[in-house]
Amino acid sequence: MSISLEQLDIIDLISERHSLLRSRIDIRWNAQSDIHLANSEWYILSRIVDASATIAEISKTVAISRQAIHKFIRQLEQKGLINVFDMKDSKKLKGVEMTQLGRECYQRYDELKQEIITEIVSIIGEDNKRLFEKLLRQPWFKEAL
């Protein structure tokens, strides 16, 4: 079933485009890797790509239930993409860091995103891309992201 974008309001347009982009990234990733990852797993990896974090810190920055975060972290660890470790000075807190394989996968994932951005820019133009990024970065509501 095809949806006419002309009939959609801004919220539904953003949602449809988001679904399309995620689908394209998934298809490209799955075509070149035996390690299959859910969007939520990528979401969690994006939070630790630059530095390790505690599971509690990750929980505060993602819109996923605490229970689901623990499930995804176990899956990422089983896939060899992250290490979970005990934090010094705490019996409760667990830290999470990317493995070398995790960093390599995330780098390739980022390259796939850049390829898709290049395709989009070839259609909408660099000026429109910059304008779109500027609009998306503006605060839309009083609460902070």
Side-chain angles (χ1 to χ4, degrees):
M1 179 174 142
S2 174
I3 296 175
S4 171
L5 297 179
E6 298 299 322
Q7 305 301 319
L8 300 179
D9 60 33
I10 189 169
I11 293 171
D12 292 335
L13 280 168
I14 292 169
S15 180
E16 286 297 320
R17 292 301 188 179
H18 177 260
S19 294
L20 175 66
L21 291 169
R22 288 287 157 210
S23 174
R24 284 187 183 243
I25 292 170
D26 286 348
I27 289 168
R28 289 182 189 193
W29 175 261
N30 291 332
Q32 59 98 44
S33 178
D34 292 333
I35 302 172
H36 297 276
L37 295 166
N39 286 330
S40 296
E41 290 172 304
W42 287 118
Y43 194 28
I44 290 169
L45 287 176
S46 74
R47 296 307 193 255
I48 60 170
V49 68
D50 294 322
S52 62
T54 66
I55 294 174
E57 290 169 335
I58 294 168
S59 296
K60 292 176 185 174
T61 65
V62 296
I64 304 172
S65 72
R66 192 170 185 84
Q67 180 180 4
I69 289 169
H70 283 277
K71 178 184 116 181
F72 290 127
I73 285 176
R74 275 192 309 277
Q75 291 172 345
L76 289 166
E77 187 175 33
Q78 289 169 351
K79 293 172 185 178
L81 302 177
I82 64 169
N83 289 320
V84 177
F85 56 92
D86 293 327
M87 296 295 294
K88 294 178 185 172
D89 305 326
S90 176
K91 294 182 182 192
K92 287 177 136 180
L93 291 177
K94 298 280 187 188
V96 181
E97 65 185 0
M98 271 196 196
T99 63
Q100 181 61 34
L101 176 61
R103 284 188 290 279
E104 290 168 7
C105 286
Y106 197 84
Q107 180 180 355
R108 180 63 187 132
Y109 175 74
D110 196 48
E111 290 168 1
L112 292 173
K113 289 192 313 182
Q114 294 307 314
E115 289 171 13
I116 290 172
I117 290 169
T118 299
E119 291 174 29
I120 292 169
V121 170
S122 73
I123 295 166
I124 69 170
E126 186 64 39
D127 289 342
N128 283 331
K129 174 196 165 259
R130 280 195 295 274
L131 175 60
F132 191 53
E133 288 173 332
K134 180 180 177 183
L135 293 171
L136 290 173
R137 287 188 177 110
Q138 288 181 348
W140 291 359
F141 308 101
K142 290 182 182 182
E143 65 270 3
L145 292 177

